[in-house]
């Protein structure tokens, strides 16, 4: 997989969203990546989302704060997918990343 973020984003968009749909159809990625799931749940107000790795199940879980605006949730999911595609080995070793947004 390509490590240049911009080029990788273009490749992933072509692969998983060739029609350029908005919002991005994240379910296309989930169909291809069985080790990945996306959850939208209530999180404390300062957290936007996270990507976690469970070594027992060998699965990644992206979490987006459903208390945030829909636009923010889509951004958070896309951001966490960036971590997944660019840094999955690091996520595995750290067992996750958590992102705040300062709100």
């Amino acid at each position: 997989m390509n490590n240049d973020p911009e080029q990788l984003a273009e490749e992933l968009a072509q692969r998983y969203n060739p029609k350029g749909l908005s919002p991005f159809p994240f379910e296309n990625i989930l169909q291809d990546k069985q080790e990945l799931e996306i959850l939208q749940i209530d999180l404390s107000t300062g957290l936007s989302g996270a990507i976690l790795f469970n070594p027992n199940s060998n699965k990644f879980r992206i979490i987006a704060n459903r208390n945030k605006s829909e636009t923010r949730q889509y951004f958070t999911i896309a951001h966490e997918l960036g971590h997944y595609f660019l840094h999955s080995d690091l996520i595995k070793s750290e067992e996750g990343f958590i992102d705040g947004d300062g709100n």
Side-chain angles (χ1 to χ4, degrees):
M1 188 76 40
N2 190 328
N3 285 332
D4 175 55
E6 290 181 33
Q7 190 173 8
L8 177 61
E10 287 298 322
E11 291 170 10
L12 293 170
Q14 286 299 312
R15 181 174 183 179
Y16 295 112
N17 190 15
K19 295 180 181 179
L21 300 175
S22 182
F24 191 96
F26 296 118
E27 60 274 6
N28 293 346
I29 295 173
L30 295 176
Q31 289 173 359
D32 188 39
K33 303 293 182 182
Q34 299 299 309
E35 75 277 8
L36 179 65
E37 66 180 344
I38 297 172
L39 300 172
Q40 291 164 286
I41 62 174
D42 293 332
L43 296 173
S44 66
T45 57
L47 296 176
S48 296
I51 182 166
L52 306 173
F53 178 74
N54 182 329
N56 296 320
S57 65
N58 204 36
K59 291 194 177 241
F60 293 88
R61 177 178 286 167
I62 290 175
I63 299 170
N65 188 347
R66 72 174 169 201
N67 294 320
K68 302 292 182 181
S69 71
E70 189 173 301
T71 302
R72 178 62 198 194
Q73 290 178 59
Y74 281 116
F75 173 85
T76 297
I77 292 168
H79 177 88
E80 300 306 335
L81 281 167
H83 287 310
Y84 170 78
F85 282 107
L86 290 168
H87 314 295
S88 60
D89 288 339
L90 181 59
I91 295 166
K92 283 182 177 182
S93 70
E94 299 289 323
E95 296 185 12
F97 291 151
I98 297 174
D99 291 311
D101 64 5
N103 289 338

